[in-house]
Amino acid sequence: MLACSSMRAAFAADCPGHPGALGTSRTLVVDPREHPRIGTMQYPETLPLRDHEVVLSFDDGPLPRNSDRILAILAAQCIKANFFLVGEMARSFPEGVRKLRDAGHTIGTHSQTHPLTMNKMPIERAKAEINDGIASVKAALGADADKSLAPFFRIPGLSRAKAVEDYLASQGIQVWSADFPADDWRHISSSRVYDLAIKRIEAKGKGILLLHDIQPRTVAALPRILETLKARGYHIVHVVPATPDRPATPTEPQQWQLHPSSENVATSHWPEAPNFIPNFVFANADQLAAPAFSYIDAWGAKPLPSNEMFADRRARGIPLPGTAPWPRHWLVPAADMATTLPIAARSVFELPDLPRLTAESVARLAPAPAQTMTAGGKPERIVTAAGAGHFKHAIRGQFRSRRGKPLAVSRRNGRGTTVAHGRSDATHTHGGPARHLAQVRKRSV
């Protein structure tokens, strides 16, 4: 808090006549060759800003009617910004270019005619757009153009193309995208411009804001944007290119990421080890004594050394714990307790032998065969329905034995008589009812 207060006091001192000005918190010096592309709207890297730091950037000027009013608003708040000028505008209004230089703002370029198709045009035409825009701005600046013009370029419409980016990098020119726009080039109200700017700044917490100094809606929204940034604790950063006399601001690689991964945050924000390690060293601090094994040796059945363990408690008047209400004998193992589980007897896993069935026993359990009388008065063996399980197959009303021979089966013919049918020595009977123990009816299949 003290550092923040002193920083604000310095801003007020640097802005005479405006004690409540937002001011410029610091100047960031960057080397375009080390980081050739910035702005998370299109690239993985952005400027190495701290939390709640914002860079103001303006495109498409100068246009005296609105650009001069933008300069007055920034001057009232002692703010330095970055401007990207169109070559044709610089040729038309060279005095506006020099006003930017005299006010201390950084001047970059934005092509010659502001084409929105640099991602599609031939590379030679794109080179001409870049080089002609630089020449036009230099012509407006005059003799000290090489010192006043920064090697910063923003592609019109952010229509990036690899060939264009590679050419700019080969010339040592840094490509600027942005981290959040305010959509002030669209036909929206100044209130909407303000809402989008603040909402997007708050969403990311820091970064490059893209505005246009030729738009009247931007002129109307800018004072309120700056007022809100100041009220919410934001700071304005001015960016300039490195030169032989002005080296780049020292940074770490993770600082060029908008939100570095968690393992890098501590590296970039915590102080160096020699500064903070002594704060965590406690010299001559009393250490707690390690408890004796007997304190917790329940199996040894030794009494707790309360005189040693609770001496400090007694000295401070802290009541000692009472005797536990449960018995302690169960904690003490018996002297003859075995150290291993007993092995189960072999008889546990043995099964008694079951009696084996003999052929005679099987014969006794088999059902008795049914009999019928043949025409000659002799009994004939008939297969009953219950005894059909002795055979393997029953096909089309016949039962076959294991040897494949058909067995005699009785059936009833259409005249009500019973016929003993089979291809063995069984005979057919006609004219009278035959006595059978079982009958097999003919079924339609």
Side-chain angles (χ1 to χ4, degrees):
M1 292 179 63
L2 292 176
C4 184
S5 299
S6 60
M7 184 180 297
R8 290 187 180 277
F11 298 162
D14 295 339
C15 194
H18 301 277
L22 175 58
T24 302
S25 65
R26 66 186 179 110
T27 299
L28 178 65
V29 185
V30 299
D31 187 344
R33 295 186 181 275
E34 292 184 358
H35 301 274
R37 291 176 286 275
I38 58 171
T40 55
M41 286 183 66
Q42 295 176 299
Y43 306 115
E45 287 190 339
T46 189
L47 292 172
L49 302 176
R50 305 178 188 129
D51 187 41
H52 276 60
E53 286 188 339
V54 176
V55 173
L56 299 179
S57 65
F58 296 88
D59 287 3
D60 295 354
L63 184 63
R65 182 177 66 253
N66 295 319
S67 298
D68 289 349
R69 295 169 66 185
I70 292 291
L71 285 177
I73 294 171
L74 296 178
Q77 294 290 333
C78 292
I79 290 174
K80 299 296 185 290
N82 290 67
F83 288 81
F84 296 86
L85 308 184
V86 175
E88 285 187 343
M89 304 295 283
R91 284 189 178 273
S92 300
F93 308 103
E95 184 63 26
V97 179
R98 291 189 286 271
K99 286 182 179 180
L100 292 174
R101 177 197 60 192
D102 296 341
H105 299 290
T106 300
I107 301 174
T109 55
H110 197 37
S111 79
Q112 175 66 13
T113 63
H114 198 281
L116 297 177
T117 57
M118 288 192 71
N119 58 329
K120 299 178 181 178
M121 65 176 57
I123 186 59
E124 294 303 323
R125 184 182 170 190
K127 290 180 182 179
E129 280 286 343
I130 295 169
N131 296 330
D132 291 348
I134 293 174
S136 296
V137 174
K138 282 187 175 182
L141 288 171
D144 64 342
D146 291 336
K147 295 181 179 180
S148 302
L149 182 61
F152 298 158
F153 183 86
R154 180 172 277 156
I155 301 174
L158 303 182
S159 301
R160 58 172 297 192
K162 186 177 185 304
V164 175
E165 294 167 350
D166 291 344
Y167 173 72
L168 290 166
S170 69
Q171 301 300 307
I173 299 174
Q174 187 178 54
V175 179
W176 279 51
S177 180
D179 295 310
F180 26 74
D183 294 2
D184 58 341
W185 67 88
R186 296 166 51 198
H187 296 290
I188 58 178
S189 65
S190 61
S191 177
R192 181 60 176 162
V193 172
Y194 164 81
D195 291 338
L196 291 175
I198 297 301
K199 178 181 179 181
R200 290 167 178 173
I201 291 173
E202 290 279 61
K204 291 190 175 181
K206 61 180 179 179
I208 306 168
L209 175 62
L210 172 58
L211 297 169
H212 294 77
D213 61 319
I214 65 172
Q215 299 292 343
R217 62 182 66 92
T218 306
V219 175
L222 184 58
R224 191 179 172 196
I225 291 173
L226 299 179
E227 180 182 354
T228 302
L229 292 179
K230 178 187 175 184
R232 299 187 183 182
Y234 283 86
H235 307 291
I236 302 300
V237 175
H238 182 211
V239 184
V240 298
T243 63
D245 299 331
R246 185 173 53 193
T249 302
T251 58
E252 296 294 334
Q254 66 271 11
Q255 292 178 272
W256 291 82
Q257 301 174 16
L258 186 65
H259 296 294
S261 56
S262 58
E263 59 268 18
N264 292 329
V265 171
T267 304
S268 59
H269 293 289
W270 281 84
E272 296 295 330
N275 296 328
F276 75 93
I277 287 181
N279 295 333
F280 295 93
V281 175
F282 298 94
N284 301 323
D286 294 334
Q287 301 293 326
L288 294 175
F293 184 74
S294 59
Y295 294 172
I296 54 176
D297 186 16
W299 297 109
K302 297 178 181 179
L304 291 175
S306 57
N307 293 334
E308 302 175 11
M309 188 174 183
F310 302 116
D312 184 61
R313 281 193 171 191
R314 187 181 294 105
R316 291 185 292 168
I318 300 176
L320 302 180
T323 306
W326 53 83
R328 293 179 51 84
H329 60 81
W330 60 274
L331 292 174
V332 183
D336 57 348
M337 179 179 290
T339 58
T340 58
L341 294 175
I343 300 175
R346 182 177 180 181
S347 59
V348 174
F349 303 100
E350 291 182 349
L351 297 177
D353 294 334
L354 298 177
R356 298 179 179 274
L357 296 177
T358 61
E360 182 179 358
S361 301
V362 174
R364 292 179 180 177
L365 295 175
Q371 295 183 351
T372 186
M373 299 299 293
T374 62
K378 296 182 180 180
E380 182 180 8
R381 297 182 65 183
I382 301 299
V383 178
T384 64
H390 287 71
F391 306 103
K392 188 174 183 181
H393 300 287
I395 303 175
R396 294 183 181 179
Q398 297 185 13
F399 288 97
R400 295 181 180 273
S401 67
R402 293 181 179 179
R403 295 182 180 180
K405 295 181 180 182
L407 300 177
V409 179
S410 63
R411 65 181 176 84
R412 186 180 298 273
N413 60 16
R415 295 173 295 178
T417 60
T418 302
V419 179
H421 177 72
R423 293 189 179 183
S424 61
D425 56 353
T427 59
H428 297 274
T429 58
H430 302 279
R435 296 180 179 179
H436 299 280
L437 296 179
Q439 297 177 356
V440 178
R441 295 181 180 275
K442 183 176 181 181
R443 296 175 296 176
S444 62
V445 178

